[in-house]
Amino acid sequence: MKIAISGKGGVGKTTIMAILAGALRQLGREVLVIDADPSPHMAETLGIINADQVKPIAEMTKLLAERAGKTQGSPFYNLNPEVNDLLHDFMIEQDGIKLMVLGAVQTAEGGCACPENHVLRKMLKKMLLTANEVVLLDMEAGVEHLGRGTVAGVDQLLIVVIPSRSSIRTALKIKEMADSVQIPGVFFVANQVVDEDDRQFLCNELGESPVAFFPDSTTIRKAERSETPVTDIADSLSEAPDQLLQAVLNGA
Ligand SMILES: Nc1ncnc2c1ncn2[C@@H]1O[C@H](COP(=O)(O)OP(=O)(O)O)[C@@H](O)[C@H]1O
Ligand SMILES: [Mg+2]
């Protein structure tokens, strides 16, 4: 299963993806998280030590180019099933959760990391997963990845939304694009929900109910400040992590 996450900047994508990674791991799933944000912070959120030692996928582009010289067509054309071996060089693992970092190089003009995104796109499409393996793709804010088709190969897209009009506007735009590239499961996940008013506002404006409602949480804030892995404090978030887990497992 391949799951991507999107939503406006700062709404809690990385936090929620890390919590989901922990919950899936607890169920015994093999979890690979790919941090595709040009300003990566999944390692810190998961509390992964020595994260700077992970080789970014950006470096894989060179390797793939070399290999591609020996094969016809796409670099991944002849790579399966060896692709899994290759990927191991670009992973760091802690507590059973594997992490890869896209490591996009940002230009002064904020230019695009096209080769990296190309590799990511190919990887998502061609990775062979068993029923027990889950790939979680954490992305930068907004809809750029959808525009580039990076998430076209995923089974599910989680759109994180907080009770604000601007976040909802972005979420609805993302949903429209996700539907146009025919992602099988597209769900809203609410974050920073304080009360019933927040819930109602989200349901009304989105036109459907989010699959999980994460509370506004002092515990999350404190975890971030004290560099505590967010997976350690998931129990304090009432039923939200389980709601999300069930939605993901049921595909709805
Ligand atoms: N439910 C929440 N309650 C309180 N703080 C939160 C919550 N979700 C996320 N945060 C905090 O908000 C900030 C942004 O979250 P993050 O997951 O990094 O967002 P994104 O990945 O969407 O940019 C982080 O400091 C995080 O600890
Ligand atoms: Mg993030």
PDB file of all heavy atoms in Angstrom, residues 6-8 11-13 16 158-172 187-193 202 206 210 212 214:
ATOM      1  N   SER A   6      -0.975  15.369   1.921  1.00  0.00           N
ATOM      2  CA  SER A   6      -0.845  16.720   1.389  1.00  0.00           C
ATOM      3  C   SER A   6      -1.671  17.685   2.237  1.00  0.00           C
ATOM      4  O   SER A   6      -2.337  17.270   3.175  1.00  0.00           O
ATOM      5  CB  SER A   6      -1.301  16.722  -0.079  1.00  0.00           C
ATOM      6  OG  SER A   6      -0.980  17.940  -0.688  1.00  0.00           O
ATOM      7  N   GLY A   7      -1.624  18.938   1.913  1.00  0.00           N
ATOM      8  CA  GLY A   7      -2.343  19.952   2.684  1.00  0.00           C
ATOM      9  C   GLY A   7      -1.497  21.211   2.771  1.00  0.00           C
ATOM     10  O   GLY A   7      -0.301  21.182   2.490  1.00  0.00           O
ATOM     11  N   LYS A   8      -2.139  22.274   3.190  1.00  0.00           N
ATOM     12  CA  LYS A   8      -1.445  23.563   3.298  1.00  0.00           C
ATOM     13  C   LYS A   8      -0.248  23.473   4.255  1.00  0.00           C
ATOM     14  O   LYS A   8      -0.223  22.607   5.129  1.00  0.00           O
ATOM     15  CB  LYS A   8      -2.457  24.578   3.829  1.00  0.00           C
ATOM     16  CG  LYS A   8      -2.111  26.019   3.593  1.00  0.00           C
ATOM     17  CD  LYS A   8      -3.278  26.892   4.053  1.00  0.00           C
ATOM     18  CE  LYS A   8      -2.834  28.293   4.369  1.00  0.00           C
ATOM     19  NZ  LYS A   8      -2.334  29.028   3.206  1.00  0.00           N
ATOM     20  N   VAL A  11      -0.001  22.552   8.501  1.00  0.00           N
ATOM     21  CA  VAL A  11      -1.264  22.038   9.061  1.00  0.00           C
ATOM     22  C   VAL A  11      -1.072  20.759   9.884  1.00  0.00           C
ATOM     23  O   VAL A  11      -1.974  20.313  10.577  1.00  0.00           O
ATOM     24  CB  VAL A  11      -2.348  21.780   7.981  1.00  0.00           C
ATOM     25  CG1 VAL A  11      -2.833  23.087   7.381  1.00  0.00           C
ATOM     26  CG2 VAL A  11      -1.864  20.813   6.907  1.00  0.00           C
ATOM     27  N   GLY A  12       0.118  20.148   9.771  1.00  0.00           N
ATOM     28  CA  GLY A  12       0.378  18.945  10.570  1.00  0.00           C
ATOM     29  C   GLY A  12       0.599  17.678   9.766  1.00  0.00           C
ATOM     30  O   GLY A  12       0.482  16.562  10.286  1.00  0.00           O
ATOM     31  N   LYS A  13       0.975  17.822   8.495  1.00  0.00           N
ATOM     32  CA  LYS A  13       1.178  16.655   7.632  1.00  0.00           C
ATOM     33  C   LYS A  13       2.232  15.701   8.191  1.00  0.00           C
ATOM     34  O   LYS A  13       1.999  14.499   8.310  1.00  0.00           O
ATOM     35  CB  LYS A  13       1.624  17.100   6.221  1.00  0.00           C
ATOM     36  CG  LYS A  13       0.610  17.930   5.492  1.00  0.00           C
ATOM     37  CD  LYS A  13       1.107  18.351   4.116  1.00  0.00           C
ATOM     38  CE  LYS A  13       2.245  19.359   4.147  1.00  0.00           C
ATOM     39  NZ  LYS A  13       1.869  20.658   4.731  1.00  0.00           N
ATOM     40  N   ILE A  16       1.171  13.996  11.501  1.00  0.00           N
ATOM     41  CA  ILE A  16       0.150  12.953  11.322  1.00  0.00           C
ATOM     42  C   ILE A  16       0.721  11.736  10.597  1.00  0.00           C
ATOM     43  O   ILE A  16       0.428  10.591  10.944  1.00  0.00           O
ATOM     44  CB  ILE A  16      -1.092  13.547  10.619  1.00  0.00           C
ATOM     45  CG1 ILE A  16      -1.825  14.444  11.634  1.00  0.00           C
ATOM     46  CG2 ILE A  16      -2.008  12.468  10.062  1.00  0.00           C
ATOM     47  CD1 ILE A  16      -2.968  15.240  11.078  1.00  0.00           C
ATOM     48  N   LEU A 158      -4.034  11.344   1.764  1.00  0.00           N
ATOM     49  CA  LEU A 158      -4.632  11.965   2.940  1.00  0.00           C
ATOM     50  C   LEU A 158      -4.453  13.463   2.812  1.00  0.00           C
ATOM     51  O   LEU A 158      -3.335  13.931   2.590  1.00  0.00           O
ATOM     52  CB  LEU A 158      -3.937  11.465   4.216  1.00  0.00           C
ATOM     53  CG  LEU A 158      -3.808   9.948   4.364  1.00  0.00           C
ATOM     54  CD1 LEU A 158      -3.006   9.614   5.617  1.00  0.00           C
ATOM     55  CD2 LEU A 158      -5.200   9.315   4.431  1.00  0.00           C
ATOM     56  N   ILE A 159      -5.524  14.201   2.930  1.00  0.00           N
ATOM     57  CA  ILE A 159      -5.435  15.662   2.851  1.00  0.00           C
ATOM     58  C   ILE A 159      -5.701  16.226   4.243  1.00  0.00           C
ATOM     59  O   ILE A 159      -6.801  16.110   4.775  1.00  0.00           O
ATOM     60  CB  ILE A 159      -6.453  16.231   1.845  1.00  0.00           C
ATOM     61  CG1 ILE A 159      -6.301  15.556   0.471  1.00  0.00           C
ATOM     62  CG2 ILE A 159      -6.281  17.749   1.724  1.00  0.00           C
ATOM     63  CD1 ILE A 159      -7.384  15.932  -0.530  1.00  0.00           C
ATOM     64  N   VAL A 160      -4.651  16.792   4.826  1.00  0.00           N
ATOM     65  CA  VAL A 160      -4.780  17.324   6.184  1.00  0.00           C
ATOM     66  C   VAL A 160      -5.373  18.722   6.122  1.00  0.00           C
ATOM     67  O   VAL A 160      -4.978  19.544   5.290  1.00  0.00           O
ATOM     68  CB  VAL A 160      -3.420  17.343   6.917  1.00  0.00           C
ATOM     69  CG1 VAL A 160      -3.583  17.878   8.340  1.00  0.00           C
ATOM     70  CG2 VAL A 160      -2.825  15.940   6.958  1.00  0.00           C
ATOM     71  N   VAL A 161      -6.329  18.954   7.007  1.00  0.00           N
ATOM     72  CA  VAL A 161      -7.029  20.226   6.988  1.00  0.00           C
ATOM     73  C   VAL A 161      -7.304  20.679   8.423  1.00  0.00           C
ATOM     74  O   VAL A 161      -7.629  19.866   9.285  1.00  0.00           O
ATOM     75  CB  VAL A 161      -8.320  20.086   6.119  1.00  0.00           C
ATOM     76  CG1 VAL A 161      -9.285  19.060   6.686  1.00  0.00           C
ATOM     77  CG2 VAL A 161      -9.006  21.410   5.900  1.00  0.00           C
ATOM     78  N   ILE A 162      -7.088  21.962   8.671  1.00  0.00           N
ATOM     79  CA  ILE A 162      -7.405  22.521   9.994  1.00  0.00           C
ATOM     80  C   ILE A 162      -8.634  23.429   9.832  1.00  0.00           C
ATOM     81  O   ILE A 162      -8.974  23.810   8.703  1.00  0.00           O
ATOM     82  CB  ILE A 162      -6.204  23.294  10.602  1.00  0.00           C
ATOM     83  CG1 ILE A 162      -5.788  24.468   9.715  1.00  0.00           C
ATOM     84  CG2 ILE A 162      -5.011  22.373  10.834  1.00  0.00           C
ATOM     85  CD1 ILE A 162      -4.760  25.396  10.362  1.00  0.00           C
ATOM     86  N   PRO A 163      -9.300  23.772  10.935  1.00  0.00           N
ATOM     87  CA  PRO A 163     -10.531  24.569  10.801  1.00  0.00           C
ATOM     88  C   PRO A 163     -10.259  26.028  10.419  1.00  0.00           C
ATOM     89  O   PRO A 163     -10.537  26.941  11.193  1.00  0.00           O
ATOM     90  CB  PRO A 163     -11.179  24.489  12.190  1.00  0.00           C
ATOM     91  CG  PRO A 163     -10.410  23.485  12.953  1.00  0.00           C
ATOM     92  CD  PRO A 163      -9.068  23.385  12.335  1.00  0.00           C
ATOM     93  N   SER A 164      -9.710  26.240   9.244  1.00  0.00           N
ATOM     94  CA  SER A 164      -9.540  27.612   8.751  1.00  0.00           C
ATOM     95  C   SER A 164      -9.914  27.626   7.276  1.00  0.00           C
ATOM     96  O   SER A 164      -9.735  26.627   6.579  1.00  0.00           O
ATOM     97  CB  SER A 164      -8.093  28.082   8.923  1.00  0.00           C
ATOM     98  OG  SER A 164      -7.294  27.609   7.857  1.00  0.00           O
ATOM     99  N   ARG A 165     -10.442  28.774   6.830  1.00  0.00           N
ATOM    100  CA  ARG A 165     -10.897  28.852   5.428  1.00  0.00           C
ATOM    101  C   ARG A 165      -9.761  28.616   4.436  1.00  0.00           C
ATOM    102  O   ARG A 165      -9.933  27.952   3.428  1.00  0.00           O
ATOM    103  CB  ARG A 165     -11.516  30.218   5.152  1.00  0.00           C
ATOM    104  CG  ARG A 165     -12.881  30.354   5.744  1.00  0.00           C
ATOM    105  CD  ARG A 165     -13.759  31.365   5.024  1.00  0.00           C
ATOM    106  NE  ARG A 165     -15.010  31.483   5.753  1.00  0.00           N
ATOM    107  CZ  ARG A 165     -16.043  30.667   5.562  1.00  0.00           C
ATOM    108  NH1 ARG A 165     -15.978  29.715   4.645  1.00  0.00           N
ATOM    109  NH2 ARG A 165     -17.134  30.802   6.279  1.00  0.00           N
ATOM    110  N   SER A 166      -8.567  29.155   4.744  1.00  0.00           N
ATOM    111  CA  SER A 166      -7.477  29.027   3.765  1.00  0.00           C
ATOM    112  C   SER A 166      -7.023  27.574   3.659  1.00  0.00           C
ATOM    113  O   SER A 166      -6.714  27.085   2.577  1.00  0.00           O
ATOM    114  CB  SER A 166      -6.317  29.942   4.129  1.00  0.00           C
ATOM    115  OG  SER A 166      -5.759  29.562   5.350  1.00  0.00           O
ATOM    116  N   SER A 167      -7.006  26.888   4.791  1.00  0.00           N
ATOM    117  CA  SER A 167      -6.612  25.482   4.759  1.00  0.00           C
ATOM    118  C   SER A 167      -7.646  24.651   3.993  1.00  0.00           C
ATOM    119  O   SER A 167      -7.300  23.739   3.231  1.00  0.00           O
ATOM    120  CB  SER A 167      -6.440  24.987   6.199  1.00  0.00           C
ATOM    121  OG  SER A 167      -6.832  23.665   6.328  1.00  0.00           O
ATOM    122  N   ILE A 168      -8.917  24.982   4.185  1.00  0.00           N
ATOM    123  CA  ILE A 168      -9.990  24.260   3.488  1.00  0.00           C
ATOM    124  C   ILE A 168      -9.930  24.522   1.978  1.00  0.00           C
ATOM    125  O   ILE A 168     -10.086  23.614   1.167  1.00  0.00           O
ATOM    126  CB  ILE A 168     -11.365  24.650   4.083  1.00  0.00           C
ATOM    127  CG1 ILE A 168     -11.501  24.025   5.477  1.00  0.00           C
ATOM    128  CG2 ILE A 168     -12.511  24.218   3.177  1.00  0.00           C
ATOM    129  CD1 ILE A 168     -12.646  24.551   6.304  1.00  0.00           C
ATOM    130  N   ARG A 169      -9.648  25.784   1.625  1.00  0.00           N
ATOM    131  CA  ARG A 169      -9.527  26.114   0.193  1.00  0.00           C
ATOM    132  C   ARG A 169      -8.450  25.269  -0.469  1.00  0.00           C
ATOM    133  O   ARG A 169      -8.648  24.677  -1.522  1.00  0.00           O
ATOM    134  CB  ARG A 169      -9.186  27.604   0.032  1.00  0.00           C
ATOM    135  CG  ARG A 169     -10.277  28.390  -0.636  1.00  0.00           C
ATOM    136  CD  ARG A 169      -9.879  29.792  -1.040  1.00  0.00           C
ATOM    137  NE  ARG A 169      -8.951  30.482  -0.184  1.00  0.00           N
ATOM    138  CZ  ARG A 169      -9.302  31.290   0.827  1.00  0.00           C
ATOM    139  NH1 ARG A 169     -10.574  31.493   1.108  1.00  0.00           N
ATOM    140  NH2 ARG A 169      -8.382  31.909   1.546  1.00  0.00           N
ATOM    141  N   THR A 170      -7.281  25.200   0.193  1.00  0.00           N
ATOM    142  CA  THR A 170      -6.180  24.384  -0.351  1.00  0.00           C
ATOM    143  C   THR A 170      -6.598  22.923  -0.420  1.00  0.00           C
ATOM    144  O   THR A 170      -6.360  22.243  -1.420  1.00  0.00           O
ATOM    145  CB  THR A 170      -4.920  24.527   0.537  1.00  0.00           C
ATOM    146  OG1 THR A 170      -4.601  25.901   0.653  1.00  0.00           O
ATOM    147  CG2 THR A 170      -3.742  23.778  -0.054  1.00  0.00           C
ATOM    148  N   ALA A 171      -7.234  22.445   0.642  1.00  0.00           N
ATOM    149  CA  ALA A 171      -7.639  21.030   0.700  1.00  0.00           C
ATOM    150  C   ALA A 171      -8.581  20.678  -0.450  1.00  0.00           C
ATOM    151  O   ALA A 171      -8.428  19.634  -1.085  1.00  0.00           O
ATOM    152  CB  ALA A 171      -8.303  20.742   2.041  1.00  0.00           C
ATOM    153  N   LEU A 172      -9.532  21.566  -0.730  1.00  0.00           N
ATOM    154  CA  LEU A 172     -10.499  21.281  -1.800  1.00  0.00           C
ATOM    155  C   LEU A 172      -9.830  21.295  -3.171  1.00  0.00           C
ATOM    156  O   LEU A 172     -10.158  20.497  -4.054  1.00  0.00           O
ATOM    157  CB  LEU A 172     -11.658  22.279  -1.748  1.00  0.00           C
ATOM    158  CG  LEU A 172     -12.611  22.092  -0.552  1.00  0.00           C
ATOM    159  CD1 LEU A 172     -13.602  23.250  -0.459  1.00  0.00           C
ATOM    160  CD2 LEU A 172     -13.365  20.754  -0.638  1.00  0.00           C
ATOM    161  N   PHE A 187      -8.904  11.054   1.199  1.00  0.00           N
ATOM    162  CA  PHE A 187      -9.612  11.341   2.454  1.00  0.00           C
ATOM    163  C   PHE A 187      -9.114  12.621   3.099  1.00  0.00           C
ATOM    164  O   PHE A 187      -7.926  12.917   3.053  1.00  0.00           O
ATOM    165  CB  PHE A 187      -9.387  10.225   3.493  1.00  0.00           C
ATOM    166  CG  PHE A 187      -9.419   8.849   2.925  1.00  0.00           C
ATOM    167  CD1 PHE A 187      -8.321   8.005   3.089  1.00  0.00           C
ATOM    168  CD2 PHE A 187     -10.523   8.391   2.247  1.00  0.00           C
ATOM    169  CE1 PHE A 187      -8.341   6.728   2.571  1.00  0.00           C
ATOM    170  CE2 PHE A 187     -10.554   7.114   1.723  1.00  0.00           C
ATOM    171  CZ  PHE A 187      -9.452   6.279   1.885  1.00  0.00           C
ATOM    172  N   PHE A 188     -10.026  13.295   3.769  1.00  0.00           N
ATOM    173  CA  PHE A 188      -9.635  14.443   4.584  1.00  0.00           C
ATOM    174  C   PHE A 188      -9.325  13.970   5.999  1.00  0.00           C
ATOM    175  O   PHE A 188     -10.014  13.102   6.535  1.00  0.00           O
ATOM    176  CB  PHE A 188     -10.765  15.481   4.656  1.00  0.00           C
ATOM    177  CG  PHE A 188     -11.075  16.127   3.337  1.00  0.00           C
ATOM    178  CD1 PHE A 188     -12.308  15.923   2.715  1.00  0.00           C
ATOM    179  CD2 PHE A 188     -10.145  16.945   2.697  1.00  0.00           C
ATOM    180  CE1 PHE A 188     -12.606  16.519   1.494  1.00  0.00           C
ATOM    181  CE2 PHE A 188     -10.428  17.544   1.481  1.00  0.00           C
ATOM    182  CZ  PHE A 188     -11.662  17.324   0.881  1.00  0.00           C
ATOM    183  N   VAL A 189      -8.275  14.540   6.588  1.00  0.00           N
ATOM    184  CA  VAL A 189      -7.925  14.269   7.983  1.00  0.00           C
ATOM    185  C   VAL A 189      -7.885  15.620   8.691  1.00  0.00           C
ATOM    186  O   VAL A 189      -7.139  16.509   8.284  1.00  0.00           O
ATOM    187  CB  VAL A 189      -6.546  13.582   8.090  1.00  0.00           C
ATOM    188  CG1 VAL A 189      -6.188  13.331   9.546  1.00  0.00           C
ATOM    189  CG2 VAL A 189      -6.531  12.281   7.296  1.00  0.00           C
ATOM    190  N   ALA A 190      -8.698  15.762   9.723  1.00  0.00           N
ATOM    191  CA  ALA A 190      -8.769  17.042  10.428  1.00  0.00           C
ATOM    192  C   ALA A 190      -7.701  17.113  11.508  1.00  0.00           C
ATOM    193  O   ALA A 190      -7.434  16.122  12.188  1.00  0.00           O
ATOM    194  CB  ALA A 190     -10.157  17.215  11.034  1.00  0.00           C
ATOM    195  N   ASN A 191      -7.116  18.285  11.640  1.00  0.00           N
ATOM    196  CA  ASN A 191      -6.111  18.489  12.696  1.00  0.00           C
ATOM    197  C   ASN A 191      -6.418  19.782  13.440  1.00  0.00           C
ATOM    198  O   ASN A 191      -7.106  20.658  12.931  1.00  0.00           O
ATOM    199  CB  ASN A 191      -4.709  18.535  12.087  1.00  0.00           C
ATOM    200  CG  ASN A 191      -3.621  18.422  13.146  1.00  0.00           C
ATOM    201  OD1 ASN A 191      -3.852  17.885  14.240  1.00  0.00           O
ATOM    202  ND2 ASN A 191      -2.438  18.920  12.850  1.00  0.00           N
ATOM    203  N   GLN A 192      -5.884  19.853  14.660  1.00  0.00           N
ATOM    204  CA  GLN A 192      -6.050  21.035  15.514  1.00  0.00           C
ATOM    205  C   GLN A 192      -7.525  21.385  15.718  1.00  0.00           C
ATOM    206  O   GLN A 192      -7.927  22.541  15.617  1.00  0.00           O
ATOM    207  CB  GLN A 192      -5.271  22.211  14.942  1.00  0.00           C
ATOM    208  CG  GLN A 192      -3.772  21.925  14.955  1.00  0.00           C
ATOM    209  CD  GLN A 192      -2.944  23.078  14.406  1.00  0.00           C
ATOM    210  OE1 GLN A 192      -3.390  24.210  14.347  1.00  0.00           O
ATOM    211  NE2 GLN A 192      -1.731  22.771  14.012  1.00  0.00           N
ATOM    212  N   VAL A 193      -8.299  20.358  15.981  1.00  0.00           N
ATOM    213  CA  VAL A 193      -9.727  20.532  16.227  1.00  0.00           C
ATOM    214  C   VAL A 193      -9.950  20.712  17.728  1.00  0.00           C
ATOM    215  O   VAL A 193      -9.484  19.908  18.528  1.00  0.00           O
ATOM    216  CB  VAL A 193     -10.508  19.297  15.709  1.00  0.00           C
ATOM    217  CG1 VAL A 193     -11.977  19.389  16.082  1.00  0.00           C
ATOM    218  CG2 VAL A 193     -10.325  19.163  14.206  1.00  0.00           C
ATOM    219  N   LEU A 202     -15.714  22.241   9.570  1.00  0.00           N
ATOM    220  CA  LEU A 202     -14.958  21.415   8.626  1.00  0.00           C
ATOM    221  C   LEU A 202     -15.899  20.564   7.774  1.00  0.00           C
ATOM    222  O   LEU A 202     -15.769  20.523   6.545  1.00  0.00           O
ATOM    223  CB  LEU A 202     -13.984  20.506   9.394  1.00  0.00           C
ATOM    224  CG  LEU A 202     -12.705  21.190   9.883  1.00  0.00           C
ATOM    225  CD1 LEU A 202     -11.999  20.341  10.921  1.00  0.00           C
ATOM    226  CD2 LEU A 202     -11.778  21.468   8.706  1.00  0.00           C
ATOM    227  N   LEU A 206     -16.196  21.259   3.811  1.00  0.00           N
ATOM    228  CA  LEU A 206     -15.594  20.217   2.966  1.00  0.00           C
ATOM    229  C   LEU A 206     -16.660  19.438   2.206  1.00  0.00           C
ATOM    230  O   LEU A 206     -16.380  18.785   1.208  1.00  0.00           O
ATOM    231  CB  LEU A 206     -14.764  19.243   3.819  1.00  0.00           C
ATOM    232  CG  LEU A 206     -13.495  19.814   4.465  1.00  0.00           C
ATOM    233  CD1 LEU A 206     -12.912  18.834   5.470  1.00  0.00           C
ATOM    234  CD2 LEU A 206     -12.458  20.153   3.392  1.00  0.00           C
ATOM    235  N   PRO A 210     -14.278  14.477   7.638  1.00  0.00           N
ATOM    236  CA  PRO A 210     -12.928  13.905   7.666  1.00  0.00           C
ATOM    237  C   PRO A 210     -12.957  12.521   8.326  1.00  0.00           C
ATOM    238  O   PRO A 210     -13.851  12.251   9.135  1.00  0.00           O
ATOM    239  CB  PRO A 210     -12.140  14.904   8.519  1.00  0.00           C
ATOM    240  CG  PRO A 210     -12.899  16.187   8.419  1.00  0.00           C
ATOM    241  CD  PRO A 210     -14.336  15.789   8.314  1.00  0.00           C
ATOM    242  N   ALA A 212     -10.707  11.315  10.377  1.00  0.00           N
ATOM    243  CA  ALA A 212     -10.186  11.368  11.745  1.00  0.00           C
ATOM    244  C   ALA A 212     -10.083  12.830  12.167  1.00  0.00           C
ATOM    245  O   ALA A 212      -9.854  13.714  11.333  1.00  0.00           O
ATOM    246  CB  ALA A 212      -8.814  10.698  11.820  1.00  0.00           C
ATOM    247  N   PHE A 214      -7.942  15.028  14.736  1.00  0.00           N
ATOM    248  CA  PHE A 214      -6.858  15.144  15.713  1.00  0.00           C
ATOM    249  C   PHE A 214      -7.070  16.410  16.534  1.00  0.00           C
ATOM    250  O   PHE A 214      -7.341  17.481  15.975  1.00  0.00           O
ATOM    251  CB  PHE A 214      -5.494  15.195  15.015  1.00  0.00           C
ATOM    252  CG  PHE A 214      -5.023  13.843  14.559  1.00  0.00           C
ATOM    253  CD1 PHE A 214      -5.475  13.305  13.368  1.00  0.00           C
ATOM    254  CD2 PHE A 214      -4.142  13.096  15.333  1.00  0.00           C
ATOM    255  CE1 PHE A 214      -5.057  12.047  12.948  1.00  0.00           C
ATOM    256  CE2 PHE A 214      -3.719  11.835  14.921  1.00  0.00           C
ATOM    257  CZ  PHE A 214      -4.184  11.306  13.729  1.00  0.00           C
TER     258      PHE A 214
END
